[in-house]
Amino acid sequence: MVLKLHGVTTQGSPSGLVATVLNEKQVPFEFIPVNTGCGEHKTAEYRACNPFCQAPYIDDDGFILYESRAICRYISMKILTKDRLRGLTPDMAKYDEYIATLSAKLDVYDESLEAEEISLVDLLHLSGGAALGLIGSDIMGQKPNVARWFNDLSSRESWRVLKDGIKGPHEQRQ
């Protein structure tokens, strides 16, 4: 099934950003225009896929994701992971460049991670940090404070229960 991008037709919009990344990564997609002028993004059907009632969102064979930057990261990670799984050679120069950029940012984290409390900002790093391991990077374990912080985050019960897939709270406790 081809990925479906639901969004507005304006190039400079977040939908345009997602379409650009899809085109750059040569990911086939079906574009489904959303008429925000008529309030199409405020319908119950649309809200079921994007609770923020904003464009864009994607439907990747039943996997729904909204927020343009999250979608772009998902597409990039999915392509890199697929290439590795299929035995294709990803662009390692780009990979190394991204890891070097991330490493520089994690240096700042490593110097400033002191808070004992976990915040929403901390939790937002979980899926990206875990995805790095899927593509063969161990960067989250290379800096002592980042490693401690990420180990603390990823050992939290709220994350560990997702190891075998997402279930509702009533299913997790049974």
Side-chain angles (χ1 to χ4, degrees), residues 4-30:
K4 294 179 181 166
L5 169 60
H6 298 256
V8 299
T9 57
T10 311
Q11 181 186 28
S13 68
S15 302
L17 171 64
V18 172
T20 300
V21 171
L22 287 165
N23 286 329
E24 279 290 325
K25 300 291 184 180
Q26 299 176 351
V27 175
F29 68 98
E30 176 185 348

Side-chain angles (χ1 to χ4, degrees), residues 18-162:
V18 172
T20 300
V21 171
L22 287 165
N23 286 329
E24 279 290 325
K25 300 291 184 180
Q26 299 176 351
V27 175
F29 68 98
E30 176 185 348
F31 181 70
I32 299 166
V34 176
N35 188 338
T36 57
C38 293
E40 193 175 321
H41 61 303
K42 303 269 185 191
T43 65
E45 180 182 338
Y46 193 91
R47 184 175 288 123
C49 295
N50 185 338
F52 297 117
C53 299
Q54 297 176 342
Y57 79 85
I58 62 167
D59 179 345
D60 188 12
D61 199 20
F63 174 72
I64 306 295
L65 185 63
Y66 44 88
E67 295 293 321
S68 59
R69 284 183 256 165
I71 295 168
C72 292
R73 286 186 189 108
Y74 166 78
I75 293 162
S76 293
M77 296 301 286
K78 180 177 178 181
I79 296 305
L80 185 57
T81 302
K82 267 188 177 177
D83 287 350
R84 284 182 178 269
L85 293 176
R86 287 188 302 200
L88 300 176
T89 306
D91 184 343
M92 292 311 292
K94 274 287 186 209
Y95 173 84
D96 291 341
E97 178 185 330
Y98 291 143
I99 293 297
T101 300
L102 178 59
S103 181
K105 291 178 181 182
L106 289 176
D107 284 340
V108 175
Y109 278 51
D110 203 52
E111 294 172 10
S112 61
L113 283 169
E114 296 176 12
E116 293 296 319
E117 291 184 31
I118 300 295
S119 72
L120 178 59
V121 173
D122 295 307
L123 295 175
L124 292 175
H125 287 78
L126 275 168
S127 60
L132 287 166
L134 294 175
I135 61 168
S137 174
D138 65 345
I139 194 165
M140 297 305 279
Q142 293 178 3
K143 299 172 189 318
N145 289 328
V146 170
R148 176 197 47 78
W149 167 74
F150 195 72
N151 284 338
D152 288 350
L153 280 176
S154 57
S155 65
R156 296 178 70 77
E157 182 67 14
S158 59
W159 179 253
R160 288 186 316 104
V161 297
L162 303 178

